[in-house]
């Protein structure tokens, strides 16, 4: 068995040794923490600086300032305000998971806070997130086509706000968003039914359309659900059920454009009423 000895390897040149030594020094210097410029600041100054950064859209700079303020002013109303403002900055900075974690912590630690209605409202907004962004615009993605778990979480936050604080300044908007979410959830079912219909899976389309009609009331999506039933029964040659659906459409939706124009196009999605 052969074991190499250190003396068997060539010695490093003076240049290599000097470079290695320099790298060692630099790596040691990199671990030196930068001085905390807020060390001598008052809580009010930290808060003012954080607000300025947030107002200019520099949420990545505002968030650590709010975190410092939480610790510096612990146990005071200012610390609570910093926590809420941090959650908002995280929300605006597209850090949704962090924003929700901050809000859940606030709700747990301060159940009697006078700002509880705002905390619930902001939590609802974080989950609501109806901004599809660039790629959603390019693909013409319908809001109802996305995962609906966040929408359900959003609904629960708005629902709790309205139940606990019916006179809150955030209650009217919360009620509007709740209606929108219900429409979205119903439309999600109809979207699946439409997909099945487009693939020729008419029985599956009927089942999903019937599910939407059974689970939701007085939402725009039910008009299309009824139309899908009409079209599916027609495709299956079930003429009596088809004619029943046609009568329901004509009676319940006398101005329905589905009968004259068919399914909505991507340029005319259901959710544009918001």
């Amino acid at each position: 068995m052969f074991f190499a000895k250190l003396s068997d390897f060539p010695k490093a040149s003076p240049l290599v040794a000097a470079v290695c030594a320099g790298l060692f020094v630099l790596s040691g210097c990199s671990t030196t923490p930068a001085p905390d410029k807020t060390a001598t600041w008052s809580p009010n100054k930290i808060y003012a600086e954080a607000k300025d950064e947030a107002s200019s859209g520099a949420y990545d700079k505002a968030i650590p300032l709010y975190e410092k303020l939480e610790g510096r002013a612990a146990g005071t109303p200012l610390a609570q305000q910093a926590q809420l403002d941090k959650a908002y900055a995280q929300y605006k900075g597209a850090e949704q998971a962090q924003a929700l974690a901050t809000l859940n912590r606030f709700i747990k630690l301060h159940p009697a806070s006078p700002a509880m209605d705002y905390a619930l409202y902001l939590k609802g907004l974080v989950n609501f997130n109806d901004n599809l962004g660039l790629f959603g615009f390019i693909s013409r993605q319908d809001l109802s086509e996305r995962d609906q778990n966040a929408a359900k979480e959003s609904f629960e936050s708005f629902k709790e706000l309205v139940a606990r604080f019916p006179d809150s300044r955030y209650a009217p908007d919360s009620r509007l968003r709740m209606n929108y979410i219900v429409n979205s959830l119903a439309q999600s079912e109809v979207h699946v039914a439409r997909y099945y219909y487009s693939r020729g899976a008419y029985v599956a389309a009927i089942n999903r359309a019937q599910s939407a009609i059974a689970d939701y009331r007085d939402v725009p999506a039910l008009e299309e659900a009824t139309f899908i039933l009409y079209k599916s029964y027609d495709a299956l040659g079930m003429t009596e059920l088809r004619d029943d659906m046609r009568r329901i459409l004509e009676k319940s939706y006398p101005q329905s454009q589905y009968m004259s124009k068919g399914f909505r196009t991507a340029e005319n999605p259901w959710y544009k009423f918001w």
Side-chain angles (χ1 to χ4, degrees):
M1 185 177 292
F2 173 76
F3 293 96
K5 298 179 181 179
L6 184 60
S7 60
D8 294 332
F9 295 94
K11 293 183 179 180
S13 68
L15 177 59
V16 172
V19 171
C20 291
L23 291 174
F24 178 78
V25 172
L26 289 175
S27 64
C29 294
S30 66
T31 61
T32 303
D36 183 1
K37 66 178 183 180
T38 70
T40 60
W41 292 4
S42 68
N44 287 333
K45 179 174 175 56
I46 297 176
Y47 185 65
E49 290 291 325
K51 292 290 285 184
D52 286 344
E53 296 288 8
S55 296
S56 65
Y59 301 112
D60 59 324
K61 296 180 180 178
I63 291 169
L65 289 173
Y66 286 129
E67 289 174 343
K68 287 184 181 294
L69 183 56
E70 282 187 74
R72 199 78 59 85
T76 68
L78 187 58
Q80 294 185 30
Q81 185 63 51
Q83 199 170 358
L84 289 174
D85 287 349
K86 181 181 75 171
Y88 181 78
Q90 290 169 327
Y91 162 57
K92 296 296 288 183
E95 298 180 4
Q96 292 183 338
Q98 293 88 330
L100 290 173
T102 299
L103 289 166
N104 287 334
R105 180 170 173 267
F106 178 91
I107 292 169
K108 181 178 179 180
L109 293 177
H110 311 291
S113 170
M116 182 57 68
D117 60 335
Y118 174 72
L120 291 170
Y121 179 71
L122 183 54
K123 184 178 178 181
L125 283 183
V126 173
N127 277 315
F128 185 81
N129 189 27
D130 66 338
N131 181 11
L132 290 173
L134 174 63
F135 294 105
F137 172 77
I138 292 174
S139 65
R140 299 292 184 180
Q141 183 188 22
D142 190 310
L143 293 181
S144 64
E145 296 175 34
R146 299 179 297 166
D147 177 65
Q148 296 296 306
N149 289 332
K152 293 175 182 177
E153 292 284 342
S154 179
F155 183 88
E156 290 303 318
S157 295
F158 291 135
K159 180 180 178 181
E160 183 177 354
L161 188 160
V162 170
R164 293 177 58 183
F165 310 100
D167 298 324
S168 167
R169 60 183 292 189
Y170 306 108
D173 188 63
S174 295
R175 293 187 182 96
L176 287 175
R177 291 177 187 272
M178 286 171 66
N179 289 335
Y180 175 88
I181 292 168
V182 170
N183 289 335
S184 176
L185 293 173
Q187 187 63 37
S188 181
E189 288 289 316
V190 174
H191 170 76
V192 176
R194 189 193 324 125
Y195 172 83
Y196 284 140
Y197 174 82
S198 69
R199 296 298 186 272
Y202 302 120
V203 174
I206 289 169
N207 289 337
R208 294 307 287 260
Q210 287 177 335
S211 177
I213 292 172
D215 292 342
Y216 300 95
R217 295 287 183 274
D218 300 323
V219 293
L222 299 189
E223 180 181 353
E224 185 177 2
T226 307
F227 180 69
I228 291 173
L229 289 175
Y230 165 75
K231 295 289 288 182
S232 297
Y233 286 136
D234 184 54
L236 291 171
M238 305 173 74
T239 56
E240 289 188 12
L241 290 173
R242 177 201 64 192
D243 294 343
D244 287 343
M245 289 302 105
R246 184 182 184 91
R247 282 191 290 270
I248 291 173
L249 273 169
E250 292 174 345
K251 181 178 180 180
S252 301
Y253 310 100
Q255 304 301 321
S256 177
Q257 295 186 8
Y258 286 105
M259 295 301 294
S260 58
K261 298 183 179 180
F263 292 104
R264 290 178 183 269
T265 64
E267 289 72 26
N268 186 29
W270 70 274
Y271 60 86
K272 286 303 183 181
F273 70 86
W274 179 258

